[in-house]
Amino acid sequence: MRIRCSRRDFITLAAAAAAAVGASSAGATAGMGNGPESLDTLARRRGLRFGSAMSYWQLSDPRYCALMREQCGILVTENELKWPQVEPRPGTFTFQRGDALARFAADNHLLLRGHNLLWQKSRYLPDWVRSDPLGAHPRAALEQLLRDHITREIGHYPQVVSWDVVNEAIGTQTGELRQTLFTRHLGPEAIDLCYRAARAAAPHAQLVYNDYMSWESGSATHRAGVLRLLEGLRKRNVPVDALGLQSHIGSNGQTRSPPEEAAWRRFLDEVTGMGYGLLITEFDVNDGGLPTDPARRDRMIADYARRYLDITLSYRQLDYVLTWGLVDKDSWLQRLPPRADGTPRRPLLFDSDYRPTALYFAMADAFRAAPVR
Ligand code: XIL
């Protein structure tokens, strides 16, 4: 695939993109982009940074590239640095797609986040890991395997400022540590090992535990489990710097029922009380249960998000805000079971014609209202 978004030809592409999207929407994005009011500019005024996930294939979408350049200060790889992608066969590393995204970030002065080194759900491990490469010494072999994977990947991307080291380790229904072959053989120390290996390889990067506990009432057990995990990690002196709040809010279309704001604050108080930083790593709004009418729906999404952002950004320990993509049509949520009315979801800051939605302006206003850190 040809990468068309290097700095060299960006200007041409921006012009092409403007032509392609038509005068009105091009005006809307061009008017906001690179100017004093881009989301990253607003975020920076508060001591924050704003960014988004990007996938390799989006490098050949000039309009997506333009939005990344115009709005973002940080890029996170959506899938390209996950273990099955970087090491599809034992010892065979394929960093090309990650490298292409890293190059795009560097060419456009974007910081780079790495996602993720260990996804604690067995189905997201490489097939060859799942099918048990243990040999005669399972413990030592597994420790070596984890350590090598983490050291090798981090070593390849020394520019990464923030790593999701372990992703989604806590069961949502049980609040207990999920099991993979690593924890089955090594116990919870498998998680500790990941962070110690990451710290050794990246002494200065932010090391994050990333999960999707949220403010919805159904998330109470998940939140409690994450708190227990974080307490244990602190006690054992494991080098974890921050909790990544994935922030896939509105899960199950719960955006109509009142969220547990007080419980969310208590959770964030406890996390920060233990000395952890915070960041929003994968923000989007699942509008599954909301009305069909786009304008009404967008208003409800924006209002719901604004409440979440106001509370969450009020914590000065929070440094990055990343959305899980920028444009509705590309969102991973479009691949969930469809909405009852069959219309596409509207979870992100730009609609499928790359025009900013009410959610974009809610994010901008939340940055304006956030305390300086
Ligand atoms: C998702 C990607 O967006 C999809 O393209 C992929 O098929 C599956 O993973 N939590 C995470 C992310 O930590 O890695 C997930 O990303 C979304 C949920």
Side-chain angles (χ1 to χ4, degrees):
M1 182 189 289
R2 194 175 150 228
I3 311 288
R4 296 188 291 179
C5 285
S6 68
R7 189 165 26 195
R8 188 164 33 86
D9 53 12
F10 174 74
I11 294 169
T12 323
L13 284 167
V21 297
S24 61
S25 62
T29 48
M32 295 183 306
N34 286 333
E37 300 304 310
S38 86
L39 288 176
D40 187 51
T41 306
L42 293 175
R44 286 179 89 140
R45 287 201 195 119
R46 297 292 179 263
L48 290 157
R49 297 305 300 262
F50 171 80
S52 170
M54 184 167 180
S55 285
Y56 175 73
W57 66 268
Q58 288 167 323
L59 288 167
S60 48
D61 175 352
R63 289 191 286 176
Y64 197 91
C65 291
L67 283 185
M68 288 296 299
R69 277 183 58 113
E70 289 170 2
Q71 298 295 336
C72 294
I74 180 163
L75 177 156
V76 62
T77 52
E78 183 165 353
N79 290 304
E80 290 71 9
L81 296 195
K82 292 171 180 172
W83 197 348
Q85 275 76 3
V86 298
E87 199 180 0
R89 283 176 299 285
T92 304
F93 289 87
T94 53
F95 288 120
Q96 290 87 338
R97 291 181 173 209
D99 290 355
L101 286 166
R103 234 178 356 259
F104 174 79
D107 285 350
N108 294 296
H109 311 291
L110 305 175
L111 301 173
L112 187 63
R113 283 203 82 232
H115 172 84
N116 57 57
L117 294 163
L118 178 69
W119 196 342
Q120 184 71 8
K121 282 182 176 170
S122 293
R123 67 176 180 280
Y124 294 117
L125 290 171
D127 289 340
W128 62 269
V129 172
R130 270 190 312 196
S131 60
D132 207 341
L134 298 181
H137 305 289
R139 242 195 108 83
L142 282 171
E143 285 181 0
Q144 193 64 36
L145 185 62
L146 263 186
R147 200 174 287 119
D148 285 353
H149 159 61
I150 288 172
T151 307
R152 178 78 189 254
E153 183 164 343
I154 291 186
H156 192 83
Y157 294 107
Q159 72 274 49
V160 164
V161 293
S162 174
W163 278 103
D164 288 330
V165 178
V166 176
N167 197 38
E168 302 181 355
I170 297 298
T172 54
Q173 304 306 315
T174 62
E176 300 297 326
L177 188 62
R178 291 180 203 276
Q179 295 297 322
T180 63
L181 84 161
F182 294 109
T183 44
R184 270 197 298 279
H185 287 83
L186 306 174
E189 294 86 71
I191 306 293
D192 304 5
L193 183 154
C194 293
Y195 286 97
R196 295 195 203 287
R199 179 55 83 225
H204 304 297
Q206 178 190 51
L207 302 185
V208 175
Y209 172 67
N210 191 46
D211 210 333
Y212 58 95
M213 68 286 127
S214 191
W215 69 344
E216 280 99 12
S217 48
S219 197
T221 306
H222 197 184
R223 287 196 299 267
V226 168
L227 285 179
R228 278 195 301 277
L229 174 74
L230 294 177
E231 270 162 23
L233 290 166
R234 267 288 171 271
K235 254 186 226 135
R236 299 191 299 279
N237 229 356
V238 180
V240 183
D241 299 313
L243 174 65
L245 312 167
Q246 288 190 3
S247 308
H248 296 294
I249 61 172
S251 52
N252 309 317
Q254 282 177 10
T255 47
R256 280 178 206 265
S257 62
E260 285 191 53
E261 296 186 0
W264 185 236
R265 282 185 204 277
R266 273 198 305 279
F267 174 74
L268 297 178
D269 286 344
E270 292 213 38
V271 173
T272 51
M274 286 187 261
Y276 290 104
L278 296 171
L279 60 163
I280 291 179
T281 51
E282 307 183 12
F283 179 87
D284 52 28
V285 185
N286 186 343
D287 59 352
L290 297 187
T292 304
D293 176 60
R296 248 187 95 205
R297 204 197 308 176
D298 282 0
R299 192 65 267 144
M300 292 171 84
I301 292 170
D303 290 347
Y304 187 78
R306 181 68 199 276
R307 282 161 80 191
Y308 177 83
L309 291 169
D310 280 349
I311 295 175
T312 309
L313 299 189
S314 74
Y315 287 80
R316 289 191 167 81
Q317 294 86 345
L318 191 139
D319 52 5
Y320 297 127
V321 177
L322 291 109
T323 56
W324 206 238
L326 289 171
V327 177
D328 285 340
K329 69 179 169 57
D330 298 344
S331 166
W332 71 302
L333 294 172
Q334 307 297 5
R335 294 191 295 280
L336 296 186
R339 283 169 47 90
D341 63 7
T343 62
R345 291 189 162 80
R346 304 175 66 84
L348 291 171
L349 278 50
F350 292 86
D351 69 15
S352 297
D353 295 318
Y354 301 74
R355 286 179 307 229
T357 62
L359 187 54
Y360 173 94
F361 296 102
M363 180 71 81
D365 286 344
F367 285 146
R368 289 191 186 95
V372 175
R373 54 218 68 211

